[in-house]
Amino acid sequence: MTTNKMTSLWRVQPGANDPAARSAIAAAAQMLRDGGTVAFPTETVYGLGADARRTEAVEQVFAAKGRPSDNPLIVHIADESQLAELVLPYGETDRALMERFWPGPLTIVLPAIPGAVSPRVTAGLDTVAVRMPLHDVALRLIAEADCPVAAPSANRSGRPSPTLAEHVREDLDGRIDGLVDGGPTGVGLESTVVMTEGPGVVRILRPGGVTPAMLREVAKTVLFDESLDGIGGEHTNPQTAVHGSDAAEPPSGLGLSVDAAAPRSPGMKYAHYAPEGEMVLVSGAASAVRDYIRREAEAASARGEVTGVLTYEEHRNDYAADAVVACGRLGQLETAAQGLYAALREFDARGVQRIWAEACPGDGIGLALMNRLAKAAGGRVVSV
Ligand code: TXA
Ligand code: MG
């Protein structure tokens, strides 16, 4: 049923307001209103949208992605009037977050009006995760569809998220009704997901483009969910253990919650973003990381394996693996965030079997980057 759809494709440059752009958005919006699935660009990654109120539409999203159904979806809105139809009264800190960061890459988990969206969107929780994307094509599409749009990243479940329309086609062509190609996304990693816990207290459930320092401009206490320090653990970095589940300092380990019993952001427990080859994340002093990766890659090559190194522009010439891919600049980690998912897809395209990834500093956007690297590595983290 989901494998032989005709996927309509529209191209809309952000900011374009010519008749062709307007009719493309109108057609894609109509498709959403009719209960279809439409992929569209946001400032983070491409999303696969459906009318959040319609269970049959939302089920098509899960089916197209092959996504586990206990993982709730983010609901996207274009303006504040849509919010009133989704959520119960919320606190002043939530309001301050919206004023400071919307539209933008921040998702806020809020108390849901019962029945406002399909239970398939919330996975039965009494909360709903809402965000207003900072992308002109997304905002126009949602406004014109005139419905709350549930949209997870537009990739097959387990694959790296799409930062280009081409990535969406690779994964979902023939499985979804439409795709709006708006060019490359901006941040490159999914939004920060937060939940407030009383006045001035914000808990990060998933790190993203809105950094802890930015959240601190609004909330005096920023906590890190226990699901974020799972991977650090004693076996990789003893420092992360002292933070505990209410750490007010970022966990340096970052990110896998494979054994957290009941993660607050249910999606964090799945192995995500993974390339097909087996990846290991290597952290430590720069020269030790380089020597370790060189040694391991050479040994794997000698065994006949196709090897890959995920690195940064500054270190590109340090390695001689089959595929040496720089995701961006270490000196400007925003570029590495933008390039990460495309880099992971490149290893797949080149048939790489074993990948070593260099860790990066975990502050600023580096927290989100390390979180996704750790997940792509499926928890295989080595400190050298
Ligand atoms: O940047 C993004 O957020 C992208 C683009 C397309 O907007 N969307 C995205 O959606 O990443 P999705 O559905 O793949 O991510 C949902 C995340 C998961 O970690 C999920 O567990 C969490 O948000 N989530 C959703 N509803 C929740 C809720 N009610 N409580 C806690 N976490 C929730
Ligand atoms: Mg996703």
Coordinates of all heavy atoms in Angstrom, one line a residue, residues 42 44-47 67 71-74 76 107 109 125 127-129 131 151-153 190-191 193 205-206 264-268, ligand 1:
T42 N 12.4 22.1 6.4 CA 12.4 23.0 7.6 C 13.8 23.5 7.8 O 14.7 23.1 7.0 CB 11.9 22.3 8.9 OG1 13.0 21.6 9.4 CG2 10.7 21.4 8.6
T44 N 15.7 22.7 10.1 CA 16.5 21.6 10.7 C 16.8 20.5 9.7 O 17.9 20.4 9.2 CB 15.8 21.1 12.0 OG1 14.6 20.5 11.6 CG2 15.7 22.2 13.0
V45 N 15.8 19.7 9.4 CA 15.9 18.6 8.5 C 14.5 18.6 7.7 O 13.6 19.2 8.1 CB 16.1 17.3 9.2 CG1 17.5 17.3 9.9 CG2 15.0 16.9 10.1
Y46 N 14.4 17.8 6.7 CA 13.1 17.6 6.0 C 12.2 16.8 6.9 O 12.6 15.9 7.6 CB 13.3 16.9 4.7 CG 13.6 17.8 3.5 CD1 14.9 18.3 3.3 CD2 12.6 18.2 2.6 CE1 15.2 19.2 2.3 CE2 12.9 19.1 1.6 CZ 14.2 19.6 1.4 OH 14.5 20.4 0.4
G47 N 10.9 17.2 6.9 CA 9.9 16.5 7.7 C 9.0 15.8 6.8 O 8.8 16.2 5.6
R67 N 8.4 3.3 11.1 CA 8.8 3.8 12.4 C 8.0 3.1 13.5 O 6.8 2.9 13.4 CB 8.4 5.3 12.5 CG 8.7 6.0 13.8 CD 8.5 7.5 13.6 NE 8.5 8.3 14.8 CZ 9.3 9.3 15.0 NH1 10.2 9.7 14.2 NH2 9.2 10.0 16.2
N71 N 6.6 5.7 19.4 CA 7.5 6.9 19.3 C 6.6 8.1 18.8 O 6.3 8.2 17.7 CB 8.6 6.7 18.4 CG 9.7 7.7 18.5 OD1 9.6 8.6 19.3 ND2 10.7 7.6 17.6
P72 N 6.3 9.1 19.7 CA 5.4 10.2 19.3 C 6.0 11.1 18.4 O 7.2 11.2 18.2 CB 5.1 10.8 20.7 CG 6.3 10.5 21.5 CD 6.8 9.2 21.1
L73 N 5.2 11.9 17.7 CA 5.6 12.8 16.6 C 5.5 14.2 17.1 O 4.7 14.6 17.9 CB 4.7 12.6 15.4 CG 4.6 11.2 14.8 CD1 3.7 11.3 13.6 CD2 5.9 10.7 14.5
I74 N 6.3 15.1 16.5 CA 6.3 16.5 16.7 C 5.2 17.2 15.9 O 5.1 16.8 14.7 CB 7.6 17.2 16.5 CG1 8.7 16.7 17.5 CG2 7.5 18.7 16.5 CD1 10.1 17.1 17.2
H76 N 3.8 20.4 14.0 CA 4.3 21.7 13.5 C 3.1 22.7 13.3 O 2.1 22.3 12.7 CB 5.0 21.5 12.2 CG 6.2 20.6 12.4 ND1 6.2 19.3 12.8 CD2 7.5 20.9 12.2 CE1 7.4 18.8 12.9 NE2 8.3 19.8 12.5
T107 N 11.5 22.6 20.1 CA 10.2 21.9 20.3 C 9.9 21.9 21.7 O 10.8 21.5 22.5 CB 10.3 20.4 19.7 OG1 10.5 20.5 18.3 CG2 9.1 19.6 20.0
V109 N 7.4 20.4 24.8 CA 6.4 19.4 25.2 C 5.4 20.1 26.1 O 5.8 20.6 27.1 CB 7.1 18.2 25.8 CG1 6.1 17.2 26.3 CG2 8.0 17.5 24.8
L125 N 0.5 9.6 25.2 CA 0.9 10.5 26.3 C -0.2 11.6 26.4 O -1.0 11.8 25.5 CB 2.2 11.1 26.0 CG 3.4 10.1 25.8 CD1 4.6 10.8 25.3 CD2 3.7 9.4 27.1
T127 N 0.7 14.6 26.8 CA 1.4 15.8 26.3 C 1.6 15.8 24.8 O 1.4 14.7 24.2 CB 2.8 15.9 26.9 OG1 3.5 14.6 26.7 CG2 2.8 16.2 28.4
V128 N 1.8 16.9 24.2 CA 2.1 17.0 22.8 C 3.3 17.9 22.6 O 3.5 18.9 23.2 CB 0.9 17.5 22.0 CG1 0.4 18.9 22.4 CG2 1.1 17.4 20.5
A129 N 4.2 17.4 21.7 CA 5.4 18.2 21.4 C 5.1 19.1 20.2 O 4.6 18.6 19.1 CB 6.6 17.2 21.0
R131 N 6.2 22.5 17.6 CA 7.2 23.5 17.2 C 6.7 24.3 16.0 O 5.9 23.9 15.3 CB 8.5 22.8 16.9 CG 8.9 22.4 15.5 CD 10.3 21.8 15.5 NE 10.9 21.6 14.1 CZ 11.6 22.6 13.5 NH1 11.8 23.7 14.1 NH2 12.1 22.3 12.3
A151 N 5.0 15.8 11.9 CA 6.1 15.6 11.0 C 7.4 15.1 11.6 O 8.1 15.9 12.2 CB 6.4 16.9 10.2
P152 N 7.6 13.8 11.6 CA 9.0 13.4 11.9 C 9.9 13.6 10.8 O 9.5 14.1 9.7 CB 8.8 11.9 12.2 CG 7.7 11.5 11.2 CD 6.8 12.8 11.1
S153 N 11.2 13.4 11.0 CA 12.1 13.5 9.9 C 11.8 12.6 8.7 O 11.3 11.5 9.0 CB 13.6 13.2 10.4 OG 13.6 12.0 11.1
E190 N 18.1 17.8 14.0 CA 16.7 18.0 14.5 C 16.7 19.0 15.6 O 17.7 19.2 16.3 CB 16.1 16.7 14.9 CG 16.0 15.6 13.9 CD 17.3 14.8 13.8 OE1 18.4 15.2 14.3 OE2 17.3 13.8 13.1
S191 N 15.5 19.6 15.8 CA 15.3 20.6 16.8 C 15.6 20.1 18.2 O 15.6 18.9 18.5 CB 13.8 21.0 16.8 OG 12.9 19.9 17.1
V193 N 14.5 19.4 21.8 CA 13.2 19.1 22.5 C 13.3 19.4 24.0 O 14.2 18.9 24.6 CB 12.8 17.7 22.3 CG1 11.4 17.4 22.9 CG2 12.7 17.3 20.8
L205 N 15.3 17.3 26.5 CA 15.1 15.9 26.2 C 15.9 15.4 25.0 O 16.3 14.3 24.9 CB 13.6 15.6 25.9 CG 12.6 16.1 27.0 CD1 11.2 15.8 26.6 CD2 13.0 15.4 28.4
R206 N 16.1 16.4 24.1 CA 17.0 16.1 22.9 C 17.7 17.3 22.6 O 17.1 18.4 22.3 CB 16.1 15.6 21.7 CG 16.9 15.3 20.4 CD 16.0 14.9 19.3 NE 15.2 15.9 18.7 CZ 14.4 15.8 17.7 NH1 14.2 14.6 17.2 NH2 13.7 16.8 17.2
R264 N 12.0 10.1 28.9 CA 10.9 11.1 28.8 C 10.6 11.4 27.3 O 9.5 11.8 26.9 CB 11.2 12.3 29.5 CG 10.5 12.3 30.9 CD 11.1 13.4 31.7 NE 12.3 12.9 32.3 CZ 12.5 12.8 33.6 NH1 11.6 13.3 34.4 NH2 13.6 12.3 34.1
S265 N 11.6 11.4 26.5 CA 11.4 11.6 25.1 C 11.6 10.2 24.4 O 12.7 9.8 24.2 CB 12.5 12.6 24.5 OG 12.2 12.9 23.2
P266 N 10.5 9.6 24.2 CA 10.6 8.1 23.8 C 11.5 7.8 22.7 O 12.1 6.8 22.6 CB 9.1 7.8 23.5 CG 8.3 8.8 24.3 CD 9.1 10.1 24.2
G267 N 11.6 8.8 21.7 CA 12.4 8.5 20.5 C 13.9 8.3 20.8 O 14.6 7.7 20.0
M268 N 14.3 8.9 22.0 CA 15.7 8.8 22.3 C 16.2 7.4 22.5 O 17.4 7.1 22.5 CB 16.1 9.6 23.5 CG 15.8 11.1 23.3 SD 16.7 11.9 21.9 CE 18.3 12.1 22.7
Ligands
TXA1 O1 13.7 19.2 13.7 C1 12.8 18.5 14.0 O2 12.3 18.4 15.1 C2 12.3 17.6 12.9 C3 11.7 18.4 11.8 C4 11.1 17.7 10.7 O3 10.8 19.4 12.3 N1 11.3 16.7 13.4 C5 11.6 15.6 14.2 O4 10.5 14.9 14.6 O5 12.7 15.3 14.5 P1 10.6 13.5 15.2 O6 9.1 13.1 15.3 O7 11.5 12.6 14.4 O8 11.1 13.7 16.6 C6 10.3 13.5 17.7 C7 11.1 13.7 19.0 C8 11.4 12.3 19.5 O9 12.6 12.3 20.3 C9 10.2 12.0 20.4 O10 10.4 11.0 21.4 C10 10.0 13.4 21.0 O11 10.3 14.3 20.0 N2 8.6 13.6 21.4 C11 7.5 13.8 20.7 N3 6.4 13.9 21.4 C12 6.8 13.9 22.7 C13 6.1 14.0 24.0 N4 4.8 14.2 24.0 N5 6.9 13.9 25.1 C14 8.2 13.8 25.0 N6 8.9 13.7 23.8 C15 8.2 13.7 22.7

